[in-house]
Amino acid sequence: MMKKVCRLNLGDVSTSMNYTRCHSELFVFDKIAERAKEIMQCNGISCSTDGSSEKVILEYINACNKIIIPGKRKVILSEELREKIQKRHFCVGSRIVDKDKSEEIVKLIERFQELFERGEKVEYHLSRQAFRGEKIDLLLNSWNIKHLHLSMLLSNAKSSMRKNRSEWLLFCIVTELQAYFMDVLPHPNKEQFMAYHFLKIAHRNKWMNYIGYSECREVLPETINIEIKNDEDIYNLYESHVNSGFKINGIVYSPYMGIASSGDTMEGSLKINKLRKFIREKLRINNLIVRDINFIKAQSFESIIYGYIFGKESEEYKIECKEFDNILGRLI
């Protein structure tokens, strides 16, 4: 009697393993999105309620980019702003404001310089839209420029922001250790937020790298043929989520990150890819696959992320949410 031979189909096993690992990656990615949503909600930042995990994490990145984390920063004033301060020359349209108003504006600039240098909170002087993760800030996402409402009435809570709104805005670039004060202007209309004026300031002060542009020596100035006649043209360009090079005083600058088709930053999209790769690599290195999805779901999220990704026993590696939030911040 012939014995029945049982053959093991390795292809099926491999496919099953790959499917399970892929499922594991999605599971961890979804959990990170849930945690990102919790962090935003706890900090009074709105986000999409029905978006995908990728959209939620992009909104988290968007919110992080908008907020100014308190910390001592060296303040550097542009040549243009220095001239305005020295001459007490501030304009509303073509009209120069009177001496008393100019003195008031200078005091406001000095006050905010002091706040940055002392590391005080200034986030509640941002636009209220800074606390909407789902809201795209074209000026910030395109050129990395923030704007603050200049007011002596300091706000330490989101609820009191209505009281410190101002007709005068400070436009600045904020890094971890510096704050570059570009200009102070009366509250512009939407087109004037994307003013060619800001590009000229960045060029004159050699700040183009801080707004995401680098000099492109390989491109001849005459080959830049996008017609820009006014600020409205620039606004329409970026509102359509189109990145463009600019010719300033015969020098061509091109964006090295810029804005994505969704309106989010290209950097945000790269961080999403980096996060997915991070999860995938941790799973591969530790040879981790969700073997019992019900057990995994029963654990706290902090246990999941460390027990599951970092290969620690979940009961041995529980941590405080605050510590985990710092890890999330570094990841994305």
PDB file of all heavy atoms in Angstrom, residues 17-18 20-21 24 279-291 307-311:
ATOM      1  N   MET A  17       3.167  34.364   6.523  1.00  0.00           N
ATOM      2  CA  MET A  17       4.037  35.137   7.417  1.00  0.00           C
ATOM      3  C   MET A  17       4.076  36.602   6.994  1.00  0.00           C
ATOM      4  O   MET A  17       3.987  37.506   7.821  1.00  0.00           O
ATOM      5  CB  MET A  17       5.451  34.558   7.398  1.00  0.00           C
ATOM      6  CG  MET A  17       5.579  33.195   8.041  1.00  0.00           C
ATOM      7  SD  MET A  17       5.684  33.326   9.839  1.00  0.00           S
ATOM      8  CE  MET A  17       7.383  33.858   9.993  1.00  0.00           C
ATOM      9  N   ASN A  18       4.193  36.830   5.654  1.00  0.00           N
ATOM     10  CA  ASN A  18       4.258  38.200   5.159  1.00  0.00           C
ATOM     11  C   ASN A  18       2.956  38.942   5.437  1.00  0.00           C
ATOM     12  O   ASN A  18       2.952  40.117   5.797  1.00  0.00           O
ATOM     13  CB  ASN A  18       4.546  38.216   3.652  1.00  0.00           C
ATOM     14  CG  ASN A  18       5.976  37.836   3.344  1.00  0.00           C
ATOM     15  OD1 ASN A  18       6.844  37.991   4.180  1.00  0.00           O
ATOM     16  ND2 ASN A  18       6.218  37.327   2.143  1.00  0.00           N
ATOM     17  N   THR A  20       0.850  38.308   7.878  1.00  0.00           N
ATOM     18  CA  THR A  20       0.746  38.563   9.310  1.00  0.00           C
ATOM     19  C   THR A  20       1.636  39.719   9.726  1.00  0.00           C
ATOM     20  O   THR A  20       1.259  40.559  10.527  1.00  0.00           O
ATOM     21  CB  THR A  20       1.131  37.302  10.109  1.00  0.00           C
ATOM     22  OG1 THR A  20       0.398  36.207   9.606  1.00  0.00           O
ATOM     23  CG2 THR A  20       0.811  37.483  11.586  1.00  0.00           C
ATOM     24  N   ARG A  21       2.859  39.758   9.146  1.00  0.00           N
ATOM     25  CA  ARG A  21       3.766  40.850   9.490  1.00  0.00           C
ATOM     26  C   ARG A  21       3.212  42.184   8.980  1.00  0.00           C
ATOM     27  O   ARG A  21       3.291  43.204   9.654  1.00  0.00           O
ATOM     28  CB  ARG A  21       5.152  40.584   8.906  1.00  0.00           C
ATOM     29  CG  ARG A  21       6.171  41.668   9.268  1.00  0.00           C
ATOM     30  CD  ARG A  21       7.590  41.259   8.961  1.00  0.00           C
ATOM     31  NE  ARG A  21       8.136  40.414  10.008  1.00  0.00           N
ATOM     32  CZ  ARG A  21       8.477  39.137   9.835  1.00  0.00           C
ATOM     33  NH1 ARG A  21       8.306  38.571   8.661  1.00  0.00           N
ATOM     34  NH2 ARG A  21       8.975  38.429  10.826  1.00  0.00           N
ATOM     35  N   SER A  24       0.641  43.275  11.259  1.00  0.00           N
ATOM     36  CA  SER A  24       1.258  43.792  12.480  1.00  0.00           C
ATOM     37  C   SER A  24       1.705  45.235  12.301  1.00  0.00           C
ATOM     38  O   SER A  24       1.523  46.068  13.182  1.00  0.00           O
ATOM     39  CB  SER A  24       2.466  42.923  12.860  1.00  0.00           C
ATOM     40  OG  SER A  24       2.079  41.593  13.064  1.00  0.00           O
ATOM     41  N   ILE A 279       8.908  51.096  12.071  1.00  0.00           N
ATOM     42  CA  ILE A 279       8.085  49.993  12.574  1.00  0.00           C
ATOM     43  C   ILE A 279       8.487  48.682  11.909  1.00  0.00           C
ATOM     44  O   ILE A 279       8.679  47.664  12.568  1.00  0.00           O
ATOM     45  CB  ILE A 279       6.587  50.276  12.322  1.00  0.00           C
ATOM     46  CG1 ILE A 279       6.132  51.491  13.125  1.00  0.00           C
ATOM     47  CG2 ILE A 279       5.731  49.060  12.679  1.00  0.00           C
ATOM     48  CD1 ILE A 279       4.761  52.016  12.722  1.00  0.00           C
ATOM     49  N   ARG A 280       8.637  48.733  10.582  1.00  0.00           N
ATOM     50  CA  ARG A 280       8.963  47.522   9.823  1.00  0.00           C
ATOM     51  C   ARG A 280      10.300  46.936  10.256  1.00  0.00           C
ATOM     52  O   ARG A 280      10.446  45.731  10.435  1.00  0.00           O
ATOM     53  CB  ARG A 280       8.992  47.857   8.332  1.00  0.00           C
ATOM     54  CG  ARG A 280       9.041  46.661   7.396  1.00  0.00           C
ATOM     55  CD  ARG A 280       8.952  47.111   5.942  1.00  0.00           C
ATOM     56  NE  ARG A 280       7.763  47.917   5.726  1.00  0.00           N
ATOM     57  CZ  ARG A 280       7.790  49.186   5.301  1.00  0.00           C
ATOM     58  NH1 ARG A 280       8.956  49.785   5.074  1.00  0.00           N
ATOM     59  NH2 ARG A 280       6.669  49.857   5.130  1.00  0.00           N
ATOM     60  N   GLU A 281      11.289  47.829  10.441  1.00  0.00           N
ATOM     61  CA  GLU A 281      12.624  47.364  10.832  1.00  0.00           C
ATOM     62  C   GLU A 281      12.616  46.753  12.226  1.00  0.00           C
ATOM     63  O   GLU A 281      13.260  45.731  12.469  1.00  0.00           O
ATOM     64  CB  GLU A 281      13.613  48.529  10.768  1.00  0.00           C
ATOM     65  CG  GLU A 281      14.020  48.914   9.369  1.00  0.00           C
ATOM     66  CD  GLU A 281      14.743  47.800   8.650  1.00  0.00           C
ATOM     67  OE1 GLU A 281      15.752  47.291   9.190  1.00  0.00           O
ATOM     68  OE2 GLU A 281      14.284  47.397   7.565  1.00  0.00           O
ATOM     69  N   LYS A 282      11.886  47.365  13.160  1.00  0.00           N
ATOM     70  CA  LYS A 282      11.825  46.834  14.523  1.00  0.00           C
ATOM     71  C   LYS A 282      11.152  45.465  14.543  1.00  0.00           C
ATOM     72  O   LYS A 282      11.569  44.571  15.284  1.00  0.00           O
ATOM     73  CB  LYS A 282      11.086  47.806  15.447  1.00  0.00           C
ATOM     74  CG  LYS A 282      11.875  49.041  15.790  1.00  0.00           C
ATOM     75  CD  LYS A 282      13.125  48.696  16.589  1.00  0.00           C
ATOM     76  CE  LYS A 282      13.939  49.925  16.933  1.00  0.00           C
ATOM     77  NZ  LYS A 282      15.187  49.571  17.659  1.00  0.00           N
ATOM     78  N   LEU A 283      10.125  45.325  13.723  1.00  0.00           N
ATOM     79  CA  LEU A 283       9.446  44.024  13.652  1.00  0.00           C
ATOM     80  C   LEU A 283      10.382  42.967  13.074  1.00  0.00           C
ATOM     81  O   LEU A 283      10.442  41.838  13.550  1.00  0.00           O
ATOM     82  CB  LEU A 283       8.188  44.134  12.794  1.00  0.00           C
ATOM     83  CG  LEU A 283       7.031  44.968  13.363  1.00  0.00           C
ATOM     84  CD1 LEU A 283       5.940  45.121  12.320  1.00  0.00           C
ATOM     85  CD2 LEU A 283       6.469  44.338  14.623  1.00  0.00           C
ATOM     86  N   ARG A 284      11.123  43.363  12.026  1.00  0.00           N
ATOM     87  CA  ARG A 284      12.020  42.402  11.369  1.00  0.00           C
ATOM     88  C   ARG A 284      13.165  42.013  12.284  1.00  0.00           C
ATOM     89  O   ARG A 284      13.481  40.825  12.448  1.00  0.00           O
ATOM     90  CB  ARG A 284      12.566  43.018  10.079  1.00  0.00           C
ATOM     91  CG  ARG A 284      13.475  42.085   9.288  1.00  0.00           C
ATOM     92  CD  ARG A 284      14.065  42.801   8.087  1.00  0.00           C
ATOM     93  NE  ARG A 284      14.901  43.913   8.470  1.00  0.00           N
ATOM     94  CZ  ARG A 284      16.161  43.795   8.903  1.00  0.00           C
ATOM     95  NH1 ARG A 284      16.729  42.605   9.012  1.00  0.00           N
ATOM     96  NH2 ARG A 284      16.859  44.867   9.227  1.00  0.00           N
ATOM     97  N   ILE A 285      13.806  43.005  12.921  1.00  0.00           N
ATOM     98  CA  ILE A 285      14.964  42.727  13.773  1.00  0.00           C
ATOM     99  C   ILE A 285      14.592  41.816  14.936  1.00  0.00           C
ATOM    100  O   ILE A 285      15.321  40.902  15.303  1.00  0.00           O
ATOM    101  CB  ILE A 285      15.570  44.058  14.295  1.00  0.00           C
ATOM    102  CG1 ILE A 285      16.236  44.803  13.139  1.00  0.00           C
ATOM    103  CG2 ILE A 285      16.581  43.801  15.409  1.00  0.00           C
ATOM    104  CD1 ILE A 285      16.637  46.229  13.500  1.00  0.00           C
ATOM    105  N   ASN A 286      13.414  42.074  15.516  1.00  0.00           N
ATOM    106  CA  ASN A 286      12.987  41.286  16.668  1.00  0.00           C
ATOM    107  C   ASN A 286      12.140  40.079  16.282  1.00  0.00           C
ATOM    108  O   ASN A 286      11.653  39.361  17.158  1.00  0.00           O
ATOM    109  CB  ASN A 286      12.196  42.187  17.637  1.00  0.00           C
ATOM    110  CG  ASN A 286      13.063  43.260  18.263  1.00  0.00           C
ATOM    111  OD1 ASN A 286      13.959  42.967  19.042  1.00  0.00           O
ATOM    112  ND2 ASN A 286      12.818  44.502  17.902  1.00  0.00           N
ATOM    113  N   ASN A 287      11.969  39.884  14.954  1.00  0.00           N
ATOM    114  CA  ASN A 287      11.188  38.754  14.450  1.00  0.00           C
ATOM    115  C   ASN A 287       9.808  38.698  15.118  1.00  0.00           C
ATOM    116  O   ASN A 287       9.351  37.654  15.585  1.00  0.00           O
ATOM    117  CB  ASN A 287      11.928  37.429  14.678  1.00  0.00           C
ATOM    118  CG  ASN A 287      11.331  36.301  13.835  1.00  0.00           C
ATOM    119  OD1 ASN A 287      10.786  36.567  12.755  1.00  0.00           O
ATOM    120  ND2 ASN A 287      11.430  35.084  14.322  1.00  0.00           N
ATOM    121  N   LEU A 288       9.164  39.861  15.194  1.00  0.00           N
ATOM    122  CA  LEU A 288       7.897  39.960  15.905  1.00  0.00           C
ATOM    123  C   LEU A 288       6.711  39.921  14.943  1.00  0.00           C
ATOM    124  O   LEU A 288       6.691  40.593  13.923  1.00  0.00           O
ATOM    125  CB  LEU A 288       7.844  41.272  16.696  1.00  0.00           C
ATOM    126  CG  LEU A 288       8.807  41.353  17.874  1.00  0.00           C
ATOM    127  CD1 LEU A 288       8.885  42.781  18.375  1.00  0.00           C
ATOM    128  CD2 LEU A 288       8.352  40.442  18.993  1.00  0.00           C
ATOM    129  N   ILE A 289       5.738  39.113  15.295  1.00  0.00           N
ATOM    130  CA  ILE A 289       4.488  39.018  14.551  1.00  0.00           C
ATOM    131  C   ILE A 289       3.368  38.927  15.579  1.00  0.00           C
ATOM    132  O   ILE A 289       3.549  38.357  16.652  1.00  0.00           O
ATOM    133  CB  ILE A 289       4.453  37.769  13.639  1.00  0.00           C
ATOM    134  CG1 ILE A 289       5.587  37.845  12.599  1.00  0.00           C
ATOM    135  CG2 ILE A 289       3.114  37.638  12.951  1.00  0.00           C
ATOM    136  CD1 ILE A 289       5.714  36.595  11.764  1.00  0.00           C
ATOM    137  N   VAL A 290       2.217  39.520  15.263  1.00  0.00           N
ATOM    138  CA  VAL A 290       1.091  39.414  16.181  1.00  0.00           C
ATOM    139  C   VAL A 290       0.578  37.979  16.136  1.00  0.00           C
ATOM    140  O   VAL A 290       0.011  37.540  15.158  1.00  0.00           O
ATOM    141  CB  VAL A 290      -0.043  40.384  15.783  1.00  0.00           C
ATOM    142  CG1 VAL A 290      -1.239  40.177  16.689  1.00  0.00           C
ATOM    143  CG2 VAL A 290       0.428  41.814  15.870  1.00  0.00           C
ATOM    144  N   ARG A 291       0.832  37.238  17.192  1.00  0.00           N
ATOM    145  CA  ARG A 291       0.379  35.844  17.244  1.00  0.00           C
ATOM    146  C   ARG A 291      -0.983  35.737  17.911  1.00  0.00           C
ATOM    147  O   ARG A 291      -1.765  34.849  17.622  1.00  0.00           O
ATOM    148  CB  ARG A 291       1.402  34.998  18.015  1.00  0.00           C
ATOM    149  CG  ARG A 291       2.739  34.910  17.274  1.00  0.00           C
ATOM    150  CD  ARG A 291       3.744  34.096  18.073  1.00  0.00           C
ATOM    151  NE  ARG A 291       4.977  33.937  17.322  1.00  0.00           N
ATOM    152  CZ  ARG A 291       5.942  34.842  17.276  1.00  0.00           C
ATOM    153  NH1 ARG A 291       5.806  35.984  17.931  1.00  0.00           N
ATOM    154  NH2 ARG A 291       7.031  34.627  16.566  1.00  0.00           N
ATOM    155  N   GLY A 307       6.500  46.642  24.340  1.00  0.00           N
ATOM    156  CA  GLY A 307       6.537  45.177  24.352  1.00  0.00           C
ATOM    157  C   GLY A 307       6.527  44.605  22.963  1.00  0.00           C
ATOM    158  O   GLY A 307       7.169  43.599  22.671  1.00  0.00           O
ATOM    159  N   TYR A 308       5.853  45.280  22.068  1.00  0.00           N
ATOM    160  CA  TYR A 308       5.640  44.745  20.729  1.00  0.00           C
ATOM    161  C   TYR A 308       6.742  45.145  19.754  1.00  0.00           C
ATOM    162  O   TYR A 308       7.305  44.326  19.044  1.00  0.00           O
ATOM    163  CB  TYR A 308       4.277  45.238  20.262  1.00  0.00           C
ATOM    164  CG  TYR A 308       3.870  44.778  18.896  1.00  0.00           C
ATOM    165  CD1 TYR A 308       3.811  43.417  18.588  1.00  0.00           C
ATOM    166  CD2 TYR A 308       3.528  45.692  17.925  1.00  0.00           C
ATOM    167  CE1 TYR A 308       3.427  43.002  17.342  1.00  0.00           C
ATOM    168  CE2 TYR A 308       3.138  45.281  16.673  1.00  0.00           C
ATOM    169  CZ  TYR A 308       3.099  43.943  16.386  1.00  0.00           C
ATOM    170  OH  TYR A 308       2.723  43.533  15.145  1.00  0.00           O
ATOM    171  N   ILE A 309       7.097  46.430  19.751  1.00  0.00           N
ATOM    172  CA  ILE A 309       8.140  46.891  18.827  1.00  0.00           C
ATOM    173  C   ILE A 309       9.540  46.629  19.379  1.00  0.00           C
ATOM    174  O   ILE A 309      10.414  46.147  18.677  1.00  0.00           O
ATOM    175  CB  ILE A 309       7.982  48.392  18.529  1.00  0.00           C
ATOM    176  CG1 ILE A 309       6.718  48.610  17.690  1.00  0.00           C
ATOM    177  CG2 ILE A 309       9.178  48.914  17.757  1.00  0.00           C
ATOM    178  CD1 ILE A 309       6.530  50.027  17.220  1.00  0.00           C
ATOM    179  N   PHE A 310       9.764  46.931  20.658  1.00  0.00           N
ATOM    180  CA  PHE A 310      11.105  46.847  21.196  1.00  0.00           C
ATOM    181  C   PHE A 310      11.434  45.485  21.795  1.00  0.00           C
ATOM    182  O   PHE A 310      12.516  45.278  22.321  1.00  0.00           O
ATOM    183  CB  PHE A 310      11.329  47.955  22.233  1.00  0.00           C
ATOM    184  CG  PHE A 310      11.319  49.319  21.621  1.00  0.00           C
ATOM    185  CD1 PHE A 310      10.190  50.104  21.664  1.00  0.00           C
ATOM    186  CD2 PHE A 310      12.440  49.805  20.971  1.00  0.00           C
ATOM    187  CE1 PHE A 310      10.174  51.360  21.084  1.00  0.00           C
ATOM    188  CE2 PHE A 310      12.432  51.055  20.386  1.00  0.00           C
ATOM    189  CZ  PHE A 310      11.296  51.837  20.444  1.00  0.00           C
ATOM    190  N   GLY A 311      10.481  44.556  21.732  1.00  0.00           N
ATOM    191  CA  GLY A 311      10.779  43.191  22.146  1.00  0.00           C
ATOM    192  C   GLY A 311      10.848  42.976  23.635  1.00  0.00           C
ATOM    193  O   GLY A 311      11.453  42.016  24.100  1.00  0.00           O
TER     194      GLY A 311
END
